[in-house]
Amino acid sequence: MPYIIDGHNLIGAMPDIELADPHDEQQLLDRLRAYRARAGGRSLIVFFDSGDLPVYFPDPSTPGVRVRFSGRGQTADDAIVEFLRERAQPGQYAVVTNDHGLAERVRAVGASLIQASDFATRLAHRAVRQTPAAEAPALDPHAPAFADIYADFLEADKAHARFPDASPADFETWIEKLYGDDLEQAQSAAFWLGHYGGAEALAPLRDALTHADARVRAAALLALGDLGDPAGLSDLCERLVSDAASMARAAAAQSLGRIGDRTVEACLEEAAQSDAKGRVRKAARAALAQVRARTSFHFAPKST
């Protein structure tokens, strides 16, 4: 059974790939190729929105992992459904997505469905070569909260690797770098503040949301997600709907998916439906699914 991958939706479900990263598609394709090399057998067909592509773009398809982009004026969701309708036996395909709207459409044409969050767990487990399930803690990998736990683990691991000697005493140094002229240092400063700055980091990270460089704004938006302070939710929503750079809007959506509650659903729904960039719409949809899964998981009434 070939897998059809809703590309940006799966990226949004991956704990260690960021939709705001300009190379996120390539990272996903590398991960999928490695997965297929280990798992073998099934071919993978990955669909992406074409909105952010340059006019001339080489075909990144490789044997076993084919890549398709939506046509002009078409979304990746539409391209997936069109592809299935053109198949003589659409029931032979399984679509990987967390998008409820797309899920209904592919079921209507006879294809089966795999949750992107479940598929992301498969990829993540293979990538980090985790210990066998018998030796691991008794966690349910299908629980909506598991993706957040695993994401936090990976983020902490990456943070310690990048800043092994981090200390609260460095706070003022990183604040200076955040406001400095070196853009790479400013991005690193936002990353550090998100992981180690604590409550004092909220104000400078908010200031960085108006930085002239989109990469610094995106780094600050991701850092607000790392910081986890609910006081930053309104800032994330504001940048999601107003920032001029799709990179920053996607970063805002990703952080809202990580720390948002039901109060952010309206801004995510707006971006998911009306943002001009397919990447941002996908990020908002993935974030909306994360928020709803997390809040349902924590607050669903117990059955009697």
Side-chain angles (χ1 to χ4, degrees), residues 13-303:
M14 296 290 293
D16 53 349
I17 302 179
E18 298 175 351
L19 280 160
D21 190 324
H23 305 295
D24 57 344
E25 293 94 345
Q26 186 59 54
Q27 292 178 51
L28 176 65
L29 293 176
D30 290 343
R31 186 69 58 80
L32 290 171
R33 292 183 185 112
Y35 169 80
R36 188 176 184 277
R38 294 188 181 97
R42 297 183 177 94
S43 62
L44 308 174
I45 308 170
V46 189
F47 282 79
F48 290 117
D49 285 305
S50 59
D52 292 331
L53 289 177
V55 176
Y56 299 104
F57 189 80
D59 184 1
S61 297
T62 54
V65 181
R66 288 184 288 157
V67 181
R68 290 173 173 251
F69 294 96
S70 59
R72 186 178 182 87
Q74 182 187 47
T75 67
D77 292 0
D78 293 336
I80 289 172
V81 175
E82 180 181 27
F83 174 87
L84 290 170
R85 285 175 175 162
E86 292 174 350
R87 306 277 80 79
Q89 294 180 308
Q92 293 183 347
Y93 294 85
V95 178
V96 177
T97 186
N98 278 345
D99 187 322
H100 296 299
L102 177 59
E104 292 179 1
R105 296 172 69 188
V106 300
R107 285 196 184 105
V109 297
S112 58
L113 181 71
I114 298 174
Q115 290 293 318
S117 50
D118 293 342
F119 199 82
T121 301
R122 297 186 204 177
L123 298 183
H125 277 235
R126 289 183 179 274
V128 300
R129 296 181 179 272
Q130 291 185 334
T131 55
E135 301 175 15
L139 292 173
D140 177 9
H142 300 293
F146 185 79
D148 292 335
I149 295 170
Y150 188 67
D152 290 343
F153 169 80
L154 285 177
E155 284 298 325
D157 190 56
K158 288 193 294 183
H160 287 304
R162 189 171 180 182
F163 301 109
D165 301 318
S167 164
D170 298 327
F171 184 84
E172 293 301 328
T173 300
W174 287 107
I175 290 293
E176 292 178 7
K177 292 179 179 180
L178 181 68
Y179 291 119
D181 295 328
D182 188 317
L183 298 181
E184 290 189 4
Q185 290 280 9
Q187 293 173 70
S188 294
F191 183 95
W192 189 95
L193 290 167
H195 282 85
Y196 304 107
E200 291 182 88
L202 180 62
L205 287 174
R206 278 174 160 169
D207 287 344
L209 300 184
T210 59
H211 197 284
D213 189 87
R215 292 167 297 176
V216 177
R217 296 199 303 276
L221 288 160
L222 292 172
L224 286 175
D226 295 330
L227 195 64
D229 191 332
L233 291 178
S234 59
D235 300 280
L236 292 170
C237 277
E238 180 183 354
R239 301 315 300 185
L240 174 61
V241 299
S242 66
D243 200 287
S246 61
M247 174 191 299
R249 298 197 303 277
Q254 183 166 329
S255 286
L256 285 169
R258 294 181 61 191
I259 67 171
D261 54 27
R262 292 189 180 277
T263 64
V264 306
E265 289 188 14
C267 70
L268 286 171
E269 287 174 347
E270 179 182 350
Q273 294 172 7
S274 60
D275 195 278
K277 293 293 186 180
R279 170 180 294 186
V280 180
R281 294 195 301 272
K282 288 290 185 181
R285 289 178 185 175
L288 194 58
Q290 282 181 285
V291 169
R292 287 173 173 168
R294 183 170 56 251
T295 53
S296 297
F297 179 78
H298 288 301
F299 300 110
K302 295 181 179 179
S303 58

